[in-house]
Amino acid sequence: MIQVSTNAQAPNAPDANPFGAEVIVTGVPVVGGLAYGRIVKPGARPGFGDIDATEIAESLRPAESERFAAAAGVVADRLTERASRNSGVAAEVLIATAALARDRGWIGAANKAISGGAPAALAAIAATDQFVEVFTNLGGLMAERVTDLKDVRDRVVAELLGVAEPGIPVPDEPSILLADDLAPADTAELDPTKVIGLAMRLGGPSSHTSIIARQLGIPCVVAAGALGDIDSGAMGYVDGDLGTVGSSPDPELISVAVAQAHARAKEIAGWRGPGRTSDGHPVAILANVADGSSAREGARAPVEGVGLFRTELAFLERADEPSVAEQVALYREVIDAFPGRKVVIRTLDAGSDKPLKFVNNTEEPNPAMGVRGNRIVKSYPEIRDNQLRALGEAAKGDGRSAPWVMAPMIATVDEAREFAGAVRLQGLIPGVMVEVPSAALLADGILAEVDFVSIGTNDLAQYTMAADRMSPELAELTDPWQPAVLALIAKVGEAGQRANKPVGVCGEAAADPLLACVLVGLGVTSLSTAPAAAAAVGLQLGEVTLQQCRNAAAAALNAVSPAQARDDARTKLG
Ligand code: PEP
Ligand code: MG
């Protein structure tokens, strides 16, 4: 029986079942490539039904609190120890998860339940439920932390019950891992020689798990709603280019395709840049970074510089504004990782999915539409002033070139003008992000005020389609291949050409090799991606002419759905 779940197949898809699979499930492609192996699924998390709910006698409650604190401490220490054996994003994720196990608010909520007589394990569950509600209501990145918190809860409960710590299976042969959602702490340590393909029922393209899969280069599909239709134990594949997962494909057909995919992966690994089309049209391939260590790691990839340094990520856990001196040191680390090369630094994008404790301290009913990004300048002008001063200071010194500095969440020409003035005062090069549809519509006016723009396709898609970028249910709407999103990008590209000023893309769209060609056809002059994705983008671009990119862009703009846009662009790119 062939069973195809239809949520992402285009009606005119060339072949909905190219490898003759028994069951095919579609989702959102996150990391390209094709992997074939035995299907494994994580074991069940600890059941909470059989926890002894007998009320703890009042005299024993202090000891129960200590038992809880000890279990949370053991879990936190274990995660920290795992972090010390890792580096980069994996270490960061493990440290962030360990911090949740030490979170004073969460521990306080559990202690409150224990002081009311709840056993420690039930107190951990109650405290988690309370925070899950708060995080879910906040939406965005905070909602994503729900997975992390539930993972900490499960580990602490397992510790209290004296059972094995939950986790994902470590297969002894190369396998395809299918899961509802993976705890980032588990994803961080995946062994890419054992887990060769990854698909999740939930999770968005910008979830932690997707970011790590991209880093590890594991073909990955998320938001694959019907994944339960595929059983573990069978042979199966993940196609990270088409966004499909299949079970029991024809062994011969899939083997030929996997061999081709491996050959392609080898070519990608050998690509060294610089970015240009086959007929020599230059397109800078740049890196997205978060701090000094990710910048140094990024400098090893075939990139020409930094296209997006998300400065707020360095301060997510901070209660107070970092001093100017501390900021100077951080910005210098990134600038110095790319000596003499282009470095684009974004001022704090505080709020919504990335709240900063020292900025976002008032409750907003709809934070994605609230005081985030450059909008904080009205309530906290000194925070932006201090950051720009630190950036100006960081740029000083022999051989350091002035960074390009851009503001997030610009919506009007006035905002762009005000920001550009403040940046120029520091002797830096001003630009703004285009991630609000109004900025795309006003691109000519904005480009008259600044020296460059960079399109943030993650937010541009969210705001154009009125769909939360983190929602797995809405992943098809927030797909950057949506023709409406492409139409706004085209407007910016045309404005950039008229003004003869650079137009970059630094959202996740730039990491999709096919879409990268379309973006270039729409007038984009640089692409900034996770360093691990840079070579695949550069290689693909070097195989097509600028005219092919333009033809693909025109075809995608005329499509009525993301799936049709992908198919039509693929055809034009040959
Ligand atoms: C974007 O919105 O595309 C972007 C690059 O910014 P962030 O993902 O940090 O919001
Ligand atoms: Mg953004």
Side-chain angles (χ1 to χ4, degrees), residues 346 349 372 435 459 469:
R346 179 173 78 184
D349 185 15
R372 68 168 286 203
E435 43 190 357
D459 275 315
R469 59 191 265 189

Coordinates of all heavy atoms in Angstrom, one line a residue, residues 346 349 372 435 459 469, ligand 2:
R346 N 24.4 43.8 14.5 CA 23.0 44.3 14.7 C 22.9 44.8 16.1 O 23.3 44.1 17.0 CB 22.0 43.2 14.4 CG 20.6 43.6 14.7 CD 19.6 42.6 14.2 NE 19.5 41.5 15.2 CZ 18.8 40.4 15.0 NH1 18.1 40.2 13.9 NH2 18.7 39.4 15.9
D349 N 18.3 43.3 19.5 CA 16.9 43.0 19.1 C 16.2 42.4 20.3 O 15.9 41.2 20.3 CB 16.9 42.0 17.9 CG 15.5 41.8 17.3 OD1 14.6 42.6 17.7 OD2 15.3 40.8 16.6
R372 N 10.0 46.0 20.6 CA 11.1 45.2 20.4 C 12.1 45.8 19.4 O 11.7 46.8 18.7 CB 10.7 43.8 19.9 CG 10.1 43.7 18.6 CD 10.0 42.3 18.0 NE 11.3 41.7 17.6 CZ 11.4 40.7 16.8 NH1 10.4 40.1 16.2 NH2 12.6 40.2 16.4
E435 N 12.5 43.7 7.9 CA 11.8 42.6 8.4 C 10.3 42.9 8.8 O 9.6 42.0 9.2 CB 12.5 41.9 9.6 CG 13.1 42.9 10.6 CD 14.0 42.2 11.7 OE1 14.2 41.0 11.6 OE2 14.5 42.9 12.5
D459 N 11.5 37.1 10.2 CA 10.4 38.0 10.7 C 9.6 38.6 9.5 O 8.4 38.8 9.7 CB 11.0 39.2 11.5 CG 11.2 38.8 13.0 OD1 10.3 38.2 13.5 OD2 12.3 39.1 13.5
R469 N 6.3 32.8 13.7 CA 7.5 32.0 13.0 C 7.8 30.8 13.8 O 8.5 29.9 13.2 CB 8.7 33.0 12.9 CG 9.2 33.4 14.3 CD 10.2 34.6 14.1 NE 11.6 34.0 14.1 CZ 12.6 34.8 14.2 NH1 12.5 36.1 14.2 NH2 13.8 34.3 14.2
Ligands
MG2 MG 14.3 39.3 13.0

